[in-house]
Amino acid sequence: MSTVRIGVVGCGAIAQVQHLPNLLELDDEFEVPIVCDVSPGQAEYLAQRFKVPKYVTDIRDMLAADIDAVLLCHTDPKTEAAVQAFEAGKHVFIEKPICTSLQEADAMIDAMRRSGKVGQAGYMKVYEPAFEMAKREVDTMDDIKFVQTNHLHPSNELHLSHFKVKRFNDLPPSVMAERREASRAARREAFGDLFEKAESCGIAYGLIHDLYSLRTMLGVPSAVISTEIWNDRRAITTILEYPNGARCVVSRVDLNKLWDFKQTLEIYSEEKRVILSYPTGFSRRVLTKLVVQGIDADGNSFYKEPAIPWESGFTRELRHFRQCITQGTPSRSSIVDARDDIALIIDITKAYITRSPVYR
């Protein structure tokens, strides 16, 4: 297989800013013969703008086409589309968070295993060269004491204004109603008797970039000690415990009018600090930065800020997806592992609702 023929489902901002430009740049590795969106105007626009031969509004028509894989970046929920794609014998790349409930995750994983195809979550930050360099540093740290992630998030519209992004208002009312009902059903499935109280806790799912980065770097936490949702549900702070007793403070605050995006992951031991600073996902050619501070074998303090290769995590995750398809390489961000992130989001939410720790 010289190139992977991939169809894109969802023709909104992330497809226009990242996925289609990146796939077209990787034209020796990917071909995009078809795109799909329930908005006819959106699908037609994307096909015309990026010179894609065909557009459709029904995923069943896409799955009947001559393609090897699908990239799902449409509005949630994505579970039904993912299961349909696996059942049609397609490899699936699904944007984060992959779903709302563990039942949805299990349905996708079961469909993937039955199909024998690749199921990869769109976790671009762990494919950043700086993240990989940081992981190698963290793997040398003997006794991690403290971890924190800070995520100060402005309105995405401030960053999207720098790109040519077009939207259409032509969705049939029935489609919007079906989406709302499917999302509500998934939340009910996720939280059971706590469903009504969980309705106002959607910001917990906004932690997904922070949580998958933490899991990849440090493994799965042993407990959610506490969660606070504040600032009119536009901010969340949660404290996680790891098996060695280390604590991690995770915060996200939506600051809609402040243009500057800030997201950091900081890992501390007695003798080393590793600090990552990420750009917004709605940026191109902007590098993640890495700072390492420590004490060498002679007791001397050092500070280094290594040069980072000029390659995007979005591009690297696509190349990895192709490698998984063509060479059988195990996915570094499999939907099997992504299930752990959904479980943690649910536990973070439960800690807020019950006002008590959730031990895992």
Side-chain angles (χ1 to χ4, degrees):
M1 184 186 296
S2 58
T3 60
V4 170
R5 291 170 59 83
I6 189 167
V8 177
V9 182
C11 300
I14 197 65
Q16 295 180 43
V17 172
Q18 293 288 2
H19 288 310
L20 261 298
N22 292 329
L23 285 166
L24 294 180
E25 286 182 4
L26 298 173
D27 56 355
D28 289 338
E29 300 165 68
F30 288 94
E31 181 182 350
V32 185
I34 187 170
V35 295
C36 175
D37 198 289
V38 290
S39 160
Q42 202 79 51
E44 181 180 13
Y45 169 73
L46 201 73
Q48 290 179 349
R49 179 179 169 190
F50 292 101
K51 307 298 187 292
V52 177
K54 185 177 181 180
Y55 68 89
V56 295
T57 58
D58 191 321
I59 190 173
R60 291 171 294 186
D61 295 328
M62 170 175 278
L63 296 176
D66 180 20
I67 57 174
D68 309 300
V70 296
L71 191 162
L72 304 180
C73 55
H74 59 292
T75 303
D76 295 334
K78 302 183 181 75
T79 306
E80 182 179 359
V83 171
Q84 288 177 332
F86 284 128
E87 290 177 343
K90 313 302 182 187
H91 304 280
V92 178
F93 181 113
I94 181 169
E95 269 296 350
K96 51 73 198 160
I98 63 168
C99 59
T100 299
S101 72
L102 294 179
Q103 293 87 340
E104 289 178 292
D106 290 339
M108 284 190 280
I109 292 167
D110 288 346
M112 178 190 71
R113 287 172 171 161
R114 289 195 304 270
S115 71
K117 300 299 180 180
V118 176
Q120 179 169 312
Y123 283 179
M124 83 285 190
K125 292 187 187 289
V126 301
Y127 292 91
E128 292 279 354
F131 183 94
E132 295 174 356
M133 296 166 73
K135 180 70 167 68
R136 291 193 289 272
E137 294 283 352
V138 170
D139 286 346
T140 70
M141 297 168 70
D142 295 328
D143 188 15
I144 293 170
K145 299 292 187 183
F146 177 62
V147 184
Q148 66 179 357
T149 71
N150 290 308
H151 197 153
L152 306 181
H153 202 296
S155 169
N156 283 330
E157 297 304 315
L158 296 173
H159 295 275
L160 289 174
S161 65
H162 295 275
F163 298 94
K164 182 182 178 183
V165 175
K166 194 167 183 178
R167 299 182 176 92
F168 292 79
N169 190 25
D170 59 354
L171 280 181
S174 60
V175 170
M176 298 174 70
E178 288 170 5
R179 281 182 176 174
R180 286 193 297 269
E181 182 53 37
S183 294
R184 187 174 174 83
R187 291 193 298 272
R188 188 182 296 278
E189 201 172 49
F191 295 102
D193 294 341
L194 300 176
F195 163 71
E196 297 292 344
K197 294 180 179 178
E199 283 281 76
S200 63
C201 303
I203 193 172
Y205 287 87
L207 295 174
I208 185 63
H209 281 304
D210 309 282
L211 299 183
Y212 73 67
S213 298
L214 282 169
R215 176 181 51 77
T216 305
M217 193 72 76
L218 301 171
V220 177
S222 55
V224 180
I225 301 301
S226 66
T227 303
E228 290 295 327
I229 296 177
W230 46 287
N231 193 29
D232 196 27
R233 299 194 299 275
R234 292 174 48 224
I236 183 170
T237 301
T238 188
I239 299 176
L240 309 178
E241 181 182 53
Y242 283 86
N244 72 341
R247 295 294 193 271
C248 174
V249 179
V250 181
S251 288
R252 171 178 168 141
V253 183
D254 289 344
L255 300 170
N256 288 340
K257 296 180 181 179
L258 181 65
W259 188 91
D260 201 12
F261 177 96
K262 298 287 187 184
Q263 183 186 1
T264 59
L265 170 57
E266 306 173 33
I267 301 172
Y268 299 87
S269 69
E270 293 284 1
E271 297 183 346
K272 184 178 280 189
R273 298 173 180 176
V274 176
I275 302 173
L276 281 164
S277 301
Y278 299 102
T280 172
F282 289 116
S283 64
R284 291 177 60 81
R285 312 295 187 220
V286 180
L287 295 176
T288 295
K289 297 180 180 180
L290 171 63
V291 169
V292 181
Q293 295 172 272
I295 303 171
D296 66 20
D298 297 322
N300 299 313
S301 295
F302 66 84
Y303 174 102
K304 60 182 180 180
E305 189 172 340
I308 307 300
W310 280 94
E311 190 172 15
S312 159
F314 280 102
T315 299
R316 288 164 65 91
E317 67 177 352
L318 287 171
R319 283 192 163 134
H320 179 70
F321 183 51
R322 180 181 180 275
Q323 188 178 45
C324 295
I325 293 170
T326 60
Q327 300 179 29
T329 303
S331 176
R332 290 174 49 200
S333 55
S334 168
I335 62 172
V336 176
D337 297 327
R339 185 187 190 277
D340 290 331
D341 306 322
I342 302 305
L344 181 54
I345 289 171
I346 292 170
D347 287 346
I348 286 170
T349 305
K350 288 180 177 179
Y352 171 71
I353 294 170
T354 63
R355 301 294 182 182
S356 60
V358 176
Y359 295 96
R360 316 179 76 237

